mmCIF file with all atom_site columns, all heavy atoms in Angstrom:
data_model
loop_
_atom_site.group_PDB
_atom_site.id
_atom_site.type_symbol
_atom_site.label_atom_id
_atom_site.label_alt_id
_atom_site.label_comp_id
_atom_site.label_asym_id
_atom_site.label_entity_id
_atom_site.label_seq_id
_atom_site.pdbx_PDB_ins_code
_atom_site.Cartn_x
_atom_site.Cartn_y
_atom_site.Cartn_z
_atom_site.occupancy
_atom_site.B_iso_or_equiv
_atom_site.pdbx_formal_charge
_atom_site.auth_seq_id
_atom_site.auth_comp_id
_atom_site.auth_asym_id
_atom_site.auth_atom_id
_atom_site.pdbx_PDB_model_num
ATOM 1   N N   . ARG B 1 58 ? 53.853 27.278 109.719 1.00 97.00 ? 58 ARG B N   1
ATOM 2   C CA  . ARG B 1 58 ? 52.891 27.771 110.717 1.00 97.00 ? 58 ARG B CA  1
ATOM 3   C C   . ARG B 1 58 ? 53.554 29.034 111.321 1.00 97.00 ? 58 ARG B C   1
ATOM 4   O O   . ARG B 1 58 ? 54.646 29.404 111.091 1.00 97.00 ? 58 ARG B O   1
ATOM 5   C CB  . ARG B 1 58 ? 52.685 26.734 111.799 1.00 97.00 ? 58 ARG B CB  1
ATOM 6   C CG  . ARG B 1 58 ? 52.102 25.419 111.254 1.00 97.00 ? 58 ARG B CG  1
ATOM 7   C CD  . ARG B 1 58 ? 51.942 24.440 112.383 1.00 97.00 ? 58 ARG B CD  1
ATOM 8   N NE  . ARG B 1 58 ? 51.491 23.174 111.851 1.00 97.00 ? 58 ARG B NE  1
ATOM 9   C CZ  . ARG B 1 58 ? 52.315 22.128 111.557 1.00 97.00 ? 58 ARG B CZ  1
ATOM 10  N NH1 . ARG B 1 58 ? 53.588 22.305 111.762 1.00 97.00 ? 58 ARG B NH1 1
ATOM 11  N NH2 . ARG B 1 58 ? 51.846 21.060 111.057 1.00 97.00 ? 58 ARG B NH2 1
ATOM 12  N N   . ALA B 1 59 ? 52.765 29.706 112.188 1.00 95.00 ? 59 ALA B N   1
ATOM 13  C CA  . ALA B 1 59 ? 53.207 30.928 112.880 1.00 95.00 ? 59 ALA B CA  1
ATOM 14  C C   . ALA B 1 59 ? 54.403 30.658 113.697 1.00 95.00 ? 59 ALA B C   1
ATOM 15  O O   . ALA B 1 59 ? 55.253 31.571 113.867 1.00 95.00 ? 59 ALA B O   1
ATOM 16  C CB  . ALA B 1 59 ? 52.048 31.488 113.678 1.00 95.00 ? 59 ALA B CB  1
ATOM 17  N N   . ASP B 1 60 ? 54.537 29.430 114.279 1.00 96.00 ? 60 ASP B N   1
ATOM 18  C CA  . ASP B 1 60 ? 55.736 29.179 115.055 1.00 96.00 ? 60 ASP B CA  1
ATOM 19  C C   . ASP B 1 60 ? 56.942 28.719 114.261 1.00 96.00 ? 60 ASP B C   1
ATOM 20  O O   . ASP B 1 60 ? 57.936 28.226 114.768 1.00 96.00 ? 60 ASP B O   1
ATOM 21  C CB  . ASP B 1 60 ? 55.387 28.076 116.115 1.00 96.00 ? 60 ASP B CB  1
ATOM 22  C CG  . ASP B 1 60 ? 55.094 26.740 115.491 1.00 96.00 ? 60 ASP B CG  1
ATOM 23  O OD1 . ASP B 1 60 ? 55.035 26.584 114.266 1.00 96.00 ? 60 ASP B OD1 1
ATOM 24  O OD2 . ASP B 1 60 ? 54.793 25.786 116.289 1.00 96.00 ? 60 ASP B OD2 1
ATOM 25  N N   . GLN B 1 61 ? 56.912 28.859 112.919 1.00 96.00 ? 61 GLN B N   1
ATOM 26  C CA  . GLN B 1 61 ? 57.914 28.545 111.977 1.00 96.00 ? 61 GLN B CA  1
ATOM 27  C C   . GLN B 1 61 ? 58.144 27.011 111.769 1.00 96.00 ? 61 GLN B C   1
ATOM 28  O O   . GLN B 1 61 ? 59.151 26.665 111.225 1.00 96.00 ? 61 GLN B O   1
ATOM 29  C CB  . GLN B 1 61 ? 59.211 29.280 112.283 1.00 96.00 ? 61 GLN B CB  1
ATOM 30  C CG  . GLN B 1 61 ? 59.074 30.754 112.220 1.00 96.00 ? 61 GLN B CG  1
ATOM 31  C CD  . GLN B 1 61 ? 60.350 31.485 112.505 1.00 96.00 ? 61 GLN B CD  1
ATOM 32  O OE1 . GLN B 1 61 ? 61.243 30.970 113.161 1.00 96.00 ? 61 GLN B OE1 1
ATOM 33  N NE2 . GLN B 1 61 ? 60.417 32.698 111.983 1.00 96.00 ? 61 GLN B NE2 1
ATOM 34  N N   . SER B 1 62 ? 57.257 26.198 112.274 1.00 97.00 ? 62 SER B N   1
ATOM 35  C CA  . SER B 1 62 ? 57.333 24.778 111.979 1.00 97.00 ? 62 SER B CA  1
ATOM 36  C C   . SER B 1 62 ? 56.736 24.524 110.637 1.00 97.00 ? 62 SER B C   1
ATOM 37  O O   . SER B 1 62 ? 55.920 25.330 110.158 1.00 97.00 ? 62 SER B O   1
ATOM 38  C CB  . SER B 1 62 ? 56.624 23.980 113.041 1.00 97.00 ? 62 SER B CB  1
ATOM 39  O OG  . SER B 1 62 ? 55.218 24.259 113.078 1.00 97.00 ? 62 SER B OG  1
ATOM 40  N N   . VAL B 1 63 ? 57.150 23.477 109.975 1.00 97.00 ? 63 VAL B N   1
ATOM 41  C CA  . VAL B 1 63 ? 56.674 23.184 108.629 1.00 97.00 ? 63 VAL B CA  1
ATOM 42  C C   . VAL B 1 63 ? 55.263 22.474 108.705 1.00 97.00 ? 63 VAL B C   1
ATOM 43  O O   . VAL B 1 63 ? 55.173 21.412 109.343 1.00 97.00 ? 63 VAL B O   1
ATOM 44  C CB  . VAL B 1 63 ? 57.726 22.337 107.894 1.00 97.00 ? 63 VAL B CB  1
ATOM 45  C CG1 . VAL B 1 63 ? 57.114 21.874 106.494 1.00 97.00 ? 63 VAL B CG1 1
ATOM 46  C CG2 . VAL B 1 63 ? 58.989 23.104 107.729 1.00 97.00 ? 63 VAL B CG2 1
ATOM 47  N N   . ALA B 1 64 ? 54.283 23.063 107.970 1.00 97.00 ? 64 ALA B N   1
ATOM 48  C CA  . ALA B 1 64 ? 53.023 22.432 107.960 1.00 97.00 ? 64 ALA B CA  1
ATOM 49  C C   . ALA B 1 64 ? 52.885 21.520 106.769 1.00 97.00 ? 64 ALA B C   1
ATOM 50  O O   . ALA B 1 64 ? 52.179 20.528 106.780 1.00 97.00 ? 64 ALA B O   1
ATOM 51  C CB  . ALA B 1 64 ? 51.905 23.522 107.863 1.00 97.00 ? 64 ALA B CB  1
ATOM 52  N N   . ALA B 1 65 ? 53.586 21.861 105.616 1.00 97.00 ? 65 ALA B N   1
ATOM 53  C CA  . ALA B 1 65 ? 53.471 21.015 104.434 1.00 97.00 ? 65 ALA B CA  1
ATOM 54  C C   . ALA B 1 65 ? 54.662 21.360 103.487 1.00 97.00 ? 65 ALA B C   1
ATOM 55  O O   . ALA B 1 65 ? 54.982 22.551 103.305 1.00 97.00 ? 65 ALA B O   1
ATOM 56  C CB  . ALA B 1 65 ? 52.113 21.249 103.708 1.00 97.00 ? 65 ALA B CB  1
ATOM 57  N N   . ASN B 1 66 ? 55.223 20.376 102.911 1.00 97.00 ? 66 ASN B N   1
ATOM 58  C CA  . ASN B 1 66 ? 56.173 20.548 101.791 1.00 97.00 ? 66 ASN B CA  1
ATOM 59  C C   . ASN B 1 66 ? 55.391 20.511 100.499 1.00 97.00 ? 66 ASN B C   1
ATOM 60  O O   . ASN B 1 66 ? 54.633 19.561 100.234 1.00 97.00 ? 66 ASN B O   1
ATOM 61  C CB  . ASN B 1 66 ? 57.226 19.482 101.815 1.00 97.00 ? 66 ASN B CB  1
ATOM 62  C CG  . ASN B 1 66 ? 58.282 19.720 102.839 1.00 97.00 ? 66 ASN B CG  1
ATOM 63  O OD1 . ASN B 1 66 ? 58.949 20.761 102.814 1.00 97.00 ? 66 ASN B OD1 1
ATOM 64  N ND2 . ASN B 1 66 ? 58.409 18.817 103.802 1.00 97.00 ? 66 ASN B ND2 1
ATOM 65  N N   . LEU B 1 67 ? 55.531 21.517 99.654  1.00 98.00 ? 67 LEU B N   1
ATOM 66  C CA  . LEU B 1 67 ? 54.811 21.549 98.363  1.00 98.00 ? 67 LEU B CA  1
ATOM 67  C C   . LEU B 1 67 ? 55.642 21.055 97.247  1.00 98.00 ? 67 LEU B C   1
ATOM 68  O O   . LEU B 1 67 ? 55.184 20.314 96.353  1.00 98.00 ? 67 LEU B O   1
ATOM 69  C CB  . LEU B 1 67 ? 54.325 22.985 98.102  1.00 98.00 ? 67 LEU B CB  1
ATOM 70  C CG  . LEU B 1 67 ? 53.372 23.611 99.089  1.00 98.00 ? 67 LEU B CG  1
ATOM 71  C CD1 . LEU B 1 67 ? 53.057 25.033 98.725  1.00 98.00 ? 67 LEU B CD1 1
ATOM 72  C CD2 . LEU B 1 67 ? 52.124 22.768 99.265  1.00 98.00 ? 67 LEU B CD2 1
ATOM 73  N N   . ALA B 1 68 ? 56.912 21.447 97.141  1.00 98.00 ? 68 ALA B N   1
ATOM 74  C CA  . ALA B 1 68 ? 57.743 21.051 96.034  1.00 98.00 ? 68 ALA B CA  1
ATOM 75  C C   . ALA B 1 68 ? 59.219 21.190 96.445  1.00 98.00 ? 68 ALA B C   1
ATOM 76  O O   . ALA B 1 68 ? 59.590 22.089 97.214  1.00 98.00 ? 68 ALA B O   1
ATOM 77  C CB  . ALA B 1 68 ? 57.551 22.008 94.890  1.00 98.00 ? 68 ALA B CB  1
ATOM 78  N N   . VAL B 1 69 ? 60.009 20.226 95.949  1.00 98.00 ? 69 VAL B N   1
ATOM 79  C CA  . VAL B 1 69 ? 61.477 20.241 96.175  1.00 98.00 ? 69 VAL B CA  1
ATOM 80  C C   . VAL B 1 69 ? 62.065 19.855 94.794  1.00 98.00 ? 69 VAL B C   1
ATOM 81  O O   . VAL B 1 69 ? 61.861 18.718 94.354  1.00 98.00 ? 69 VAL B O   1
ATOM 82  C CB  . VAL B 1 69 ? 62.007 19.296 97.263  1.00 98.00 ? 69 VAL B CB  1
ATOM 83  C CG1 . VAL B 1 69 ? 63.524 19.391 97.333  1.00 98.00 ? 69 VAL B CG1 1
ATOM 84  C CG2 . VAL B 1 69 ? 61.344 19.600 98.569  1.00 98.00 ? 69 VAL B CG2 1
ATOM 85  N N   . TRP B 1 70 ? 62.696 20.787 94.134  1.00 98.00 ? 70 TRP B N   1
ATOM 86  C CA  . TRP B 1 70 ? 63.240 20.520 92.803  1.00 98.00 ? 70 TRP B CA  1
ATOM 87  C C   . TRP B 1 70 ? 64.741 20.391 92.908  1.00 98.00 ? 70 TRP B C   1
ATOM 88  O O   . TRP B 1 70 ? 65.441 21.347 93.425  1.00 98.00 ? 70 TRP B O   1
ATOM 89  C CB  . TRP B 1 70 ? 62.916 21.636 91.805  1.00 98.00 ? 70 TRP B CB  1
ATOM 90  C CG  . TRP B 1 70 ? 61.448 21.940 91.655  1.00 98.00 ? 70 TRP B CG  1
ATOM 91  C CD1 . TRP B 1 70 ? 60.379 21.075 91.901  1.00 98.00 ? 70 TRP B CD1 1
ATOM 92  C CD2 . TRP B 1 70 ? 60.844 23.161 91.182  1.00 98.00 ? 70 TRP B CD2 1
ATOM 93  N NE1 . TRP B 1 70 ? 59.183 21.656 91.586  1.00 98.00 ? 70 TRP B NE1 1
ATOM 94  C CE2 . TRP B 1 70 ? 59.437 22.910 91.153  1.00 98.00 ? 70 TRP B CE2 1
ATOM 95  C CE3 . TRP B 1 70 ? 61.339 24.352 90.747  1.00 98.00 ? 70 TRP B CE3 1
ATOM 96  C CZ2 . TRP B 1 70 ? 58.550 23.902 90.738  1.00 98.00 ? 70 TRP B CZ2 1
ATOM 97  C CZ3 . TRP B 1 70 ? 60.488 25.325 90.357  1.00 98.00 ? 70 TRP B CZ3 1
ATOM 98  C CH2 . TRP B 1 70 ? 59.111 25.116 90.295  1.00 98.00 ? 70 TRP B CH2 1
ATOM 99  N N   . TYR B 1 71 ? 65.242 19.314 92.461  1.00 97.00 ? 71 TYR B N   1
ATOM 100 C CA  . TYR B 1 71 ? 66.718 19.061 92.494  1.00 97.00 ? 71 TYR B CA  1
ATOM 101 C C   . TYR B 1 71 ? 67.111 18.096 91.403  1.00 97.00 ? 71 TYR B C   1
ATOM 102 O O   . TYR B 1 71 ? 66.248 17.605 90.741  1.00 97.00 ? 71 TYR B O   1
ATOM 103 C CB  . TYR B 1 71 ? 67.175 18.624 93.877  1.00 97.00 ? 71 TYR B CB  1
ATOM 104 C CG  . TYR B 1 71 ? 66.694 17.248 94.302  1.00 97.00 ? 71 TYR B CG  1
ATOM 105 C CD1 . TYR B 1 71 ? 67.554 16.179 94.170  1.00 97.00 ? 71 TYR B CD1 1
ATOM 106 C CD2 . TYR B 1 71 ? 65.456 17.050 94.819  1.00 97.00 ? 71 TYR B CD2 1
ATOM 107 C CE1 . TYR B 1 71 ? 67.150 14.879 94.585  1.00 97.00 ? 71 TYR B CE1 1
ATOM 108 C CE2 . TYR B 1 71 ? 65.050 15.818 95.194  1.00 97.00 ? 71 TYR B CE2 1
ATOM 109 C CZ  . TYR B 1 71 ? 65.895 14.729 95.112  1.00 97.00 ? 71 TYR B CZ  1
ATOM 110 O OH  . TYR B 1 71 ? 65.492 13.497 95.459  1.00 97.00 ? 71 TYR B OH  1
ATOM 111 N N   . ASP B 1 72 ? 68.414 17.870 91.286  1.00 95.00 ? 72 ASP B N   1
ATOM 112 C CA  . ASP B 1 72 ? 68.858 17.008 90.183  1.00 95.00 ? 72 ASP B CA  1
ATOM 113 C C   . ASP B 1 72 ? 68.709 15.576 90.667  1.00 95.00 ? 72 ASP B C   1
ATOM 114 O O   . ASP B 1 72 ? 69.502 14.981 91.358  1.00 95.00 ? 72 ASP B O   1
ATOM 115 C CB  . ASP B 1 72 ? 70.358 17.282 89.915  1.00 95.00 ? 72 ASP B CB  1
ATOM 116 C CG  . ASP B 1 72 ? 70.790 16.654 88.589  1.00 95.00 ? 72 ASP B CG  1
ATOM 117 O OD1 . ASP B 1 72 ? 70.113 15.691 88.120  1.00 95.00 ? 72 ASP B OD1 1
ATOM 118 O OD2 . ASP B 1 72 ? 71.784 17.148 88.057  1.00 95.00 ? 72 ASP B OD2 1
ATOM 119 N N   . LEU B 1 73 ? 67.567 14.965 90.174  1.00 92.00 ? 73 LEU B N   1
ATOM 120 C CA  . LEU B 1 73 ? 67.271 13.598 90.514  1.00 92.00 ? 73 LEU B CA  1
ATOM 121 C C   . LEU B 1 73 ? 68.019 12.548 89.783  1.00 92.00 ? 73 LEU B C   1
ATOM 122 O O   . LEU B 1 73 ? 68.145 11.383 90.237  1.00 92.00 ? 73 LEU B O   1
ATOM 123 C CB  . LEU B 1 73 ? 65.760 13.357 90.246  1.00 92.00 ? 73 LEU B CB  1
ATOM 124 C CG  . LEU B 1 73 ? 64.735 14.122 91.091  1.00 92.00 ? 73 LEU B CG  1
ATOM 125 C CD1 . LEU B 1 73 ? 63.384 14.115 90.414  1.00 92.00 ? 73 LEU B CD1 1
ATOM 126 C CD2 . LEU B 1 73 ? 64.660 13.498 92.466  1.00 92.00 ? 73 LEU B CD2 1
ATOM 127 N N   . LYS B 1 74 ? 68.659 12.952 88.640  1.00 90.00 ? 74 LYS B N   1
ATOM 128 C CA  . LYS B 1 74 ? 69.300 11.921 87.802  1.00 90.00 ? 74 LYS B CA  1
ATOM 129 C C   . LYS B 1 74 ? 70.792 11.697 88.087  1.00 90.00 ? 74 LYS B C   1
ATOM 130 O O   . LYS B 1 74 ? 71.356 10.847 87.431  1.00 90.00 ? 74 LYS B O   1
ATOM 131 C CB  . LYS B 1 74 ? 69.115 12.405 86.346  1.00 90.00 ? 74 LYS B CB  1
ATOM 132 C CG  . LYS B 1 74 ? 67.639 12.337 85.913  1.00 90.00 ? 74 LYS B CG  1
ATOM 133 C CD  . LYS B 1 74 ? 67.528 12.720 84.463  1.00 90.00 ? 74 LYS B CD  1
ATOM 134 C CE  . LYS B 1 74 ? 66.045 12.622 84.066  1.00 90.00 ? 74 LYS B CE  1
ATOM 135 N NZ  . LYS B 1 74 ? 65.862 13.044 82.682  1.00 90.00 ? 74 LYS B NZ  1
ATOM 136 N N   . LYS B 1 75 ? 71.322 12.417 88.974  1.00 91.00 ? 75 LYS B N   1
ATOM 137 C CA  . LYS B 1 75 ? 72.735 12.188 89.251  1.00 91.00 ? 75 LYS B CA  1
ATOM 138 C C   . LYS B 1 75 ? 73.002 10.822 89.882  1.00 91.00 ? 75 LYS B C   1
ATOM 139 O O   . LYS B 1 75 ? 72.177 10.291 90.649  1.00 91.00 ? 75 LYS B O   1
ATOM 140 C CB  . LYS B 1 75 ? 73.292 13.266 90.209  1.00 91.00 ? 75 LYS B CB  1
ATOM 141 C CG  . LYS B 1 75 ? 73.500 14.605 89.506  1.00 91.00 ? 75 LYS B CG  1
ATOM 142 C CD  . LYS B 1 75 ? 74.400 15.499 90.294  1.00 91.00 ? 75 LYS B CD  1
ATOM 143 C CE  . LYS B 1 75 ? 74.726 16.696 89.393  1.00 91.00 ? 75 LYS B CE  1
ATOM 144 N NZ  . LYS B 1 75 ? 75.825 17.473 89.965  1.00 91.00 ? 75 LYS B NZ  1
ATOM 145 N N   . LYS B 1 76 ? 74.101 10.201 89.525  1.00 92.00 ? 76 LYS B N   1
ATOM 146 C CA  . LYS B 1 76 ? 74.448 8.892  90.046  1.00 92.00 ? 76 LYS B CA  1
ATOM 147 C C   . LYS B 1 76 ? 74.564 8.888  91.563  1.00 92.00 ? 76 LYS B C   1
ATOM 148 O O   . LYS B 1 76 ? 74.985 9.916  92.169  1.00 92.00 ? 76 LYS B O   1
ATOM 149 C CB  . LYS B 1 76 ? 75.829 8.462  89.468  1.00 92.00 ? 76 LYS B CB  1
ATOM 150 C CG  . LYS B 1 76 ? 75.793 7.986  88.128  1.00 92.00 ? 76 LYS B CG  1
ATOM 151 C CD  . LYS B 1 76 ? 77.210 7.606  87.765  1.00 92.00 ? 76 LYS B CD  1
ATOM 152 C CE  . LYS B 1 76 ? 77.334 6.692  86.584  1.00 92.00 ? 76 LYS B CE  1
ATOM 153 N NZ  . LYS B 1 76 ? 78.755 6.384  86.323  1.00 92.00 ? 76 LYS B NZ  1
ATOM 154 N N   . ASP B 1 77 ? 74.245 7.784  92.159  1.00 90.00 ? 77 ASP B N   1
ATOM 155 C CA  . ASP B 1 77 ? 74.410 7.592  93.574  1.00 90.00 ? 77 ASP B CA  1
ATOM 156 C C   . ASP B 1 77 ? 73.775 8.683  94.414  1.00 90.00 ? 77 ASP B C   1
ATOM 157 O O   . ASP B 1 77 ? 74.280 9.029  95.503  1.00 90.00 ? 77 ASP B O   1
ATOM 158 C CB  . ASP B 1 77 ? 75.909 7.486  93.986  1.00 90.00 ? 77 ASP B CB  1
ATOM 159 C CG  . ASP B 1 77 ? 76.589 6.345  93.244  1.00 90.00 ? 77 ASP B CG  1
ATOM 160 O OD1 . ASP B 1 77 ? 75.924 5.284  93.016  1.00 90.00 ? 77 ASP B OD1 1
ATOM 161 O OD2 . ASP B 1 77 ? 77.746 6.515  92.831  1.00 90.00 ? 77 ASP B OD2 1
#
Side-chain angles (χ1 to χ4, degrees):
R58 296 179 187 94
D60 66 357
Q61 299 182 334
S62 63
V63 174
N66 281 300
L67 300 177
V69 179
W70 301 339
Y71 66 99
D72 195 340
L73 293 163
K74 294 182 179 177
K75 285 198 170 190
K76 281 181 163 179
D77 302 322

